[in-house]
Amino acid sequence: MKKHFYITMAALTLLGLSACSTESSAKPTKSTNDLYGNYYEIFTGSFYDSDGDGKGDLKGITEKLDYLNTGKKDTTDDLKVDGVWLTPIMKSPSYHKYDVIDYYQVDPSFGSMEDFENLVKESKNHNIKVIIDLVLNHTSSENEWFKAAKRAVLGTGSKEDQKYKDFYNFSREQKEGYVSLGEGWYYEARFWEGMPDLNLKNEDVRTEIKKITDFWIKKGIAGFRLDAVGEYYTGETEKDNEFTKWFMETVQKQNKDVYVVGEVWNDAYNIESHYESGIDSLFNFPFAQAKKYGVIAETVQLGNGQNFADKLVTWDMAIKEKNKGAIDAPFLSNHDGDRSANTFNTLEQKKMAANTYLLMPGNPFIYYGEEIGMTGKGADENKRQPMIFNNDGKGQPKPFENSSMEAETDGGSVEVQEKNPDSVLSWYKKVLRAKSNYPEIARGEITNLESDEKNIAILSYEYEDEKVAVIHNFSDKEDLTIDLPKEISKYKIKETLSAFKGEAKLENGKLTIPKYTSLILK
């Protein structure tokens, strides 16, 4: 969900100033190996329409699995993502579905439960894991729990309604974040009145949540994306962490391999603190915000590779001090923010941005359309425009009602970009394939080897006694020549990812790296 606060400059500065080492000291743990992968976020109603009703649906996602991953190792025409995150699919009155009416039903606009089960089954055949959005901070005001709670509070309900009174937070006073229920009563609804906040300390609520997670895990999902983790007890991180810790213990008993990634849309310090809950991943907002604040955008646009390397290692060290098994979740944009194509104006910038976040440690999340340079900003509906698969509009959902602009791409539809080896889409395929050969990048202990050149970032990754180096030249104007640090002086160039099609040269430990280029050496 969209939050009411944004990353502050002070928090980003903290990332740079708090560095006390050029190396992340936390050793990667083998127990989390199966949780790693490259994920793809799908705003379900915007992806692909299988039946012509103008709405994206589950069958449409199933039809497009080959686009994401054919499941065949040697194919070159798919993205090769390892997992998908589906934004909420449960029954809801809104277009975005972040206000759940029934946690056990698929929203009819997306299809049936049978459609979902088939999607999970076919995804497994394509080597794709499915994680679903789980909204626990609040429900819809149309949820039967809230209707019963409302009756109980107002004295119009039955004996059976009474327990639901404690499912939500009611008050005789109009506190901050509370709205009127009527007859002198107020209820907590910090996002808007149609989303009453759940009382997550209530044991009956937790019992219901346990049933909900067990239900979906038995449907074959691989994990959950938790919405609004930092809002469970607004402003009270310790209480947030207590609930998240309980949630993690609950789902891991139901399936030890379940993966959980959470949203804490806040500053760096706050996100780090939420890792104390033991959650697997939290989205890396400090690196992903709009161009004035985000580390990745700042780096690509201003070219300070040293600053990027220092902040990345500092971040990695900070989250793993809170949770040794922490898996970072970098991204460029998502359904709540302006699309990255509105920040990165040129084709070369989009390619360099892809290099940057896809080659960071952890599990990167690609927002649908990112890989074709889709635009969208302003109103939320503009950021969630229909995916553009082909030129004739076949299978393309209709824009949402309040959308005020039409999405554009850098290079045309998927159909067009698949035929262009220089397109953004072809670039994403290239980077993801290059990365797949080096598990050290996602999993490894990271070290900043530093460089005398401001535009250069040199990062070493070590995992299970294997090492690789990733070197970025963030200059968009010149090729640069450096002496390789002694730690990697014997390495060879294995992958060249050059936005300007430059050629890297390595002779006698001296490396020439073209402008806007990333190299993988081993």
Side-chain angles (χ1 to χ4, degrees):
M1 289 300 301
K2 180 176 283 186
K3 303 299 176 293
H4 305 293
F5 38 74
Y6 293 84
I7 302 296
T8 63
M9 284 300 289
L12 288 171
T13 303
L14 188 76
L15 277 171
L17 294 179
S18 64
C20 57
S21 170
T22 59
E23 180 175 341
S24 175
S25 58
K27 297 288 185 181
T29 56
K30 293 184 180 181
S31 61
T32 56
N33 285 1
D34 56 344
L35 302 185
Y36 283 91
N38 304 305
Y39 281 82
Y40 188 89
E41 179 192 355
I42 295 176
F43 199 83
T44 311
S46 298
F47 196 59
Y48 196 76
D49 173 15
S50 70
D51 57 11
D53 67 354
K55 300 174 183 179
D57 49 46
L58 296 170
K59 283 185 177 180
I61 298 172
T62 303
E63 284 187 30
K64 288 299 179 181
L65 288 177
D66 276 348
Y67 169 72
L68 300 172
N69 190 338
T70 63
K72 300 172 184 176
K73 184 176 180 181
D74 298 325
T75 55
T76 58
D77 55 355
D78 56 359
L79 271 177
K80 277 289 180 287
V81 296
D82 306 295
V84 295
W85 152 30
L86 305 182
T87 58
I89 60 168
M90 298 167 191
K91 188 176 181 181
S92 163
S94 68
Y95 85 94
H96 53 70
K97 310 303 177 193
Y98 278 95
D99 45 348
V100 178
I101 290 178
D102 190 329
Y103 285 97
Y104 299 97
Q105 286 189 46
V106 168
D107 193 272
S109 66
F110 296 152
S112 65
M113 185 61 73
E114 184 180 0
D115 294 335
F116 178 75
E117 292 168 347
N118 187 58
L119 170 59
V120 172
K121 176 184 175 183
E122 291 301 318
S123 294
K124 289 179 180 178
N125 293 336
H126 285 71
N127 293 330
I128 297 174
K129 298 177 181 179
V130 176
I131 66 173
I132 62 171
D133 225 311
L134 185 58
V135 186
L136 299 177
N137 178 69
H138 49 263
T139 69
S140 168
S141 57
E142 297 180 29
N143 190 296
E144 290 300 327
W145 298 347
F146 187 71
K147 289 180 179 180
K150 183 177 179 179
R151 291 192 296 268
V153 169
L154 297 179
T156 61
S158 65
K159 182 178 180 181
E160 289 73 24
D161 291 334
Q162 288 303 310
K163 83 166 187 175
Y164 293 101
K165 180 178 178 179
D166 292 329
F167 270 45
Y168 299 87
N169 301 307
F170 295 97
S171 173
R172 282 291 192 181
E173 301 175 27
Q174 188 166 16
K175 305 175 185 177
E176 181 183 356
Y178 280 63
V179 298
S180 177
L181 182 69
E183 299 185 21
W185 282 99
Y186 301 89
Y187 63 96
E188 187 178 20
R190 291 183 180 267
F191 289 107
W192 74 291
E193 63 183 18
M195 292 178 173
D197 285 19
L198 282 167
N199 174 14
L200 295 176
K201 65 178 179 287
N202 180 274
E203 288 301 323
D204 288 332
V205 171
R206 295 193 180 196
T207 297
E208 292 293 339
I209 291 171
K210 188 182 297 185
K211 292 177 183 176
I212 291 164
T213 56
D214 186 59
F215 175 84
W216 289 100
I217 287 172
K218 286 178 178 175
K219 293 292 181 184
I221 66 162
F224 299 98
R225 180 266 187 186
L226 295 182
D227 182 63
V229 171
E231 298 298 302
Y232 290 155
Y233 301 88
T234 303
E236 300 185 74
T237 301
E238 286 189 12
K239 290 184 177 180
D240 290 342
N241 285 345
E242 183 278 326
F243 175 78
T244 306
K245 182 175 185 291
W246 171 85
F247 181 88
M248 292 299 298
E249 291 172 350
T250 297
V251 296
Q252 286 170 347
K253 287 177 183 176
Q254 293 167 345
N255 179 353
K256 64 181 178 61
D257 296 321
V258 73
Y259 173 57
V260 180
V261 55
E263 176 200 41
V264 177
W265 192 343
N266 208 317
D267 59 41
Y269 175 79
N270 202 288
I271 296 171
E272 292 167 16
S273 298
H274 277 83
Y275 267 109
E276 293 179 349
S277 67
I279 195 169
D280 298 313
S281 295
L282 292 167
F283 288 109
N284 187 339
F285 281 94
F287 277 66
Q289 286 291 312
K291 65 180 178 182
K292 186 177 179 181
Y293 296 116
V295 174
I296 295 173
E298 176 187 325
T299 303
V300 171
Q301 292 173 337
L302 301 182
N304 193 335
Q306 270 300 296
N307 185 56
F308 169 77
D310 183 53
K311 286 184 175 179
L312 179 59
V313 172
T314 299
W315 176 259
D316 188 74
M317 178 171 60
I319 65 175
K320 287 176 180 172
E321 282 180 353
K322 301 295 184 182
N323 174 3
K324 187 187 294 186
I327 302 171
D328 194 20
F331 66 103
L332 291 182
S333 59
N334 66 15
H335 62 282
D336 281 329
D338 289 353
R339 281 186 171 273
S340 69
N342 290 93
T343 296
F344 302 111
N345 298 317
T346 68
L347 177 64
E348 290 76 21
Q349 281 191 349
K350 293 180 181 73
K351 289 181 177 181
M352 195 64 200
N355 288 0
T356 307
Y357 86 108
L358 295 177
L359 297 179
M360 284 171 61
N363 294 345
F365 280 74
I366 303 163
Y367 186 36
Y368 81 95
E370 198 106 60
E371 76 279 16
I372 57 173
M374 270 180 64
T375 59
K377 64 178 181 177
D380 285 343
E381 291 85 353
N382 295 336
K383 306 163 189 172
R384 306 162 183 179
Q385 291 277 23
M387 180 67 173
I388 304 171
F389 275 106
N390 45 56
N391 293 342
D392 61 11
K394 179 185 176 184
Q396 187 166 315
K398 294 178 181 178
F400 296 118
E401 185 175 344
N402 293 325
S403 177
S404 59
M405 63 177 63
E406 189 171 337
E408 299 177 351
T409 68
D410 192 339
S413 65
V414 169
E415 181 182 29
V416 172
Q417 292 198 28
E418 284 181 329
K419 299 172 184 176
N420 178 4
D422 296 325
S423 68
V424 185
L425 177 56
S426 295
W427 190 259
Y428 267 76
K429 292 177 181 181
K430 182 177 181 179
V431 178
L432 289 170
R433 277 169 171 74
K435 179 187 178 183
S436 69
N437 296 320
Y438 305 96
E440 300 93 332
I441 295 173
R443 298 163 170 80
E445 179 184 356
I446 184 172
T447 305
N448 177 11
L449 297 183
E450 303 186 351
S451 169
D452 293 332
E453 289 283 355
K454 172 187 173 183
N455 300 120
I456 298 289
I458 307 175
L459 298 161
S460 173
Y461 296 90
E462 180 178 0
Y463 176 71
E464 293 187 344
D465 300 323
E466 294 288 335
K467 296 181 181 181
V468 301
V470 174
I471 303 180
H472 302 285
N473 179 2
F474 286 106
S475 172
D476 63 347
K477 296 179 175 62
E478 59 181 337
D479 299 356
L480 296 171
T481 299
I482 60 171
D483 291 319
L484 284 183
K486 64 179 182 179
E487 295 93 332
I488 61 172
S489 59
K490 304 296 184 183
Y491 284 26
K492 303 296 182 185
I493 298 172
K494 298 296 183 181
E495 305 282 352
T496 300
L497 302 166
S498 181
F500 285 105
K501 301 183 182 179
E503 292 291 333
K505 297 178 183 178
L506 177 56
E507 295 179 350
N508 301 320
K510 194 172 288 291
L511 174 68
T512 298
I513 179 169
K515 58 186 178 181
Y516 265 5
T517 295
S518 303
L519 304 176
I520 299 175
L521 292 81
K522 185 160 182 166

